[in-house]
């Protein structure tokens, strides 16, 4: 069986999203996947090549003013060179985000990632979890405590540092990493059988 290659392409303004990127990396690595953490704010030619060679790319950014960060938007625009050549066609994609508010319009950031993936012809992998923390017997420590389906969403108080990223949000990001890597392995087996 081929070991899937997953890249986590992220931007982190204050370190909170970097914590989630590391959690996605750890979850994917737990499956045996080869995983690359790529900060899109300092992207090199070699890292573009890693993205091109990946089976899956997980997009991550804080949500600022209702969308992904400016650095992530720059990366998305720069990826148009890949769009012209179809370099990311049929890869898997997923996404995660963080903001200071419980909602904070994080859904818009995840939808931005979905549209970016769709324009590249990628296949989107959703979170695959039911919402947590939505019953009287539930807890803020549940996986998917914020109730997102499209991708992993986290909330960190805006006056606290990266060490304050909620443990349940970290665990949810790890789940996303495992899900993407497992799906990439399944896709690889299907391609080999075809």
């Amino acid at each position: 069986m081929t070991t899937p290659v997953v890249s986590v392409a992220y931007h982190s303004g204050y370190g909170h999203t970097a914590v989630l990127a590391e959690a996605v990396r750890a979850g994917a690595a737990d499956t045996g996947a080869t995983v690359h953490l790529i900060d899109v704010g300092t992207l090199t030619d070699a890292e573009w090549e890693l993205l091109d060679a990946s089976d899956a790319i997980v997009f991550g950014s804080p949500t600022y003013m209702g969308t992904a960060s400016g650095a992530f938007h720059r990366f998305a625009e720069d990826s148009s060179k890949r769009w012209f050549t179809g370099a990311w066609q049929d890869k898997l994609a997923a996404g995660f985000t963080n903001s200071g508010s419980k909602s904070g319009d994080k859904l818009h950031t995840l939808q931005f990632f979905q549209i970016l993936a769709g324009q590249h012809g990628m296949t989107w992998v959703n979170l695959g979890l039911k919402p947590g923390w939505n019953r009287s017997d539930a807890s803020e420590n549940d996986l998917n405590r914020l109730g997102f389906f499209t991708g992993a969403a986290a909330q960190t108080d805006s006056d606290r540092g990266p060490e304050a990223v909620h443990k349940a949000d970290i665990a949810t990001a790890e789940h996303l990493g495992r899900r993407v890597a497992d799906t990439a392995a399944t896709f690889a087996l299907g391609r080999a059988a075809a």
Side-chain angles (χ1 to χ4, degrees):
M1 183 174 99
T2 304
T3 301
V5 178
V6 177
S7 286
V8 182
Y10 75 98
H11 174 253
S12 185
Y14 298 98
H16 306 92
T17 308
V19 169
L20 297 172
E22 172 55 32
V24 171
R25 186 213 61 77
D30 282 349
T31 72
T34 300
V35 189
H36 305 290
L37 271 180
I38 299 174
D39 181 344
V40 302
T42 58
L43 208 55
T44 65
D45 288 341
E47 288 171 324
W48 278 111
E49 291 173 12
L50 287 174
L51 291 169
D52 294 345
S54 297
D55 299 299
I57 302 173
V58 183
F59 302 125
S61 170
T63 295
Y64 294 154
M65 303 308 292
T67 190
S69 66
F72 194 93
H73 274 269
R74 180 75 208 179
F75 160 72
E77 290 177 25
D78 289 346
S79 77
S80 65
K81 293 174 184 168
R82 272 66 193 163
W83 179 84
F84 279 108
T85 64
W88 295 355
Q89 180 79 30
D90 297 326
K91 292 185 185 301
L92 299 179
F96 61 95
T97 188
N98 180 78
S99 73
S101 299
K102 296 281 191 282
S103 170
D105 293 322
K106 287 188 271 282
L107 178 60
H108 185 260
T109 300
L110 293 171
Q111 289 172 330
F112 170 72
F113 295 157
Q114 280 185 310
I115 292 168
L116 174 63
Q119 288 184 340
H120 280 287
M122 302 169 82
T123 300
W124 189 259
V125 179
N126 61 43
L127 188 56
L129 287 173
K130 298 236 183 331
W133 201 21
N134 66 352
R135 297 171 41 100
S136 61
D137 59 352
S139 159
E140 71 171 294
N141 296 310
D142 292 344
L143 284 179
N144 196 19
R145 71 187 181 108
L146 299 178
F148 283 75
F149 295 93
T150 305
Q155 181 273 330
T156 310
D157 293 338
S158 58
D159 61 344
R160 298 184 69 197
E163 73 286 348
V165 176
H166 200 286
K167 300 299 183 217
D169 297 340
I170 292 171
T172 301
E174 289 172 350
H175 168 85
L176 179 65
R178 281 189 298 276
R179 181 167 168 81
V180 169
D182 286 342
T183 304
T186 301
F187 268 60
L189 286 172
R191 284 189 184 110

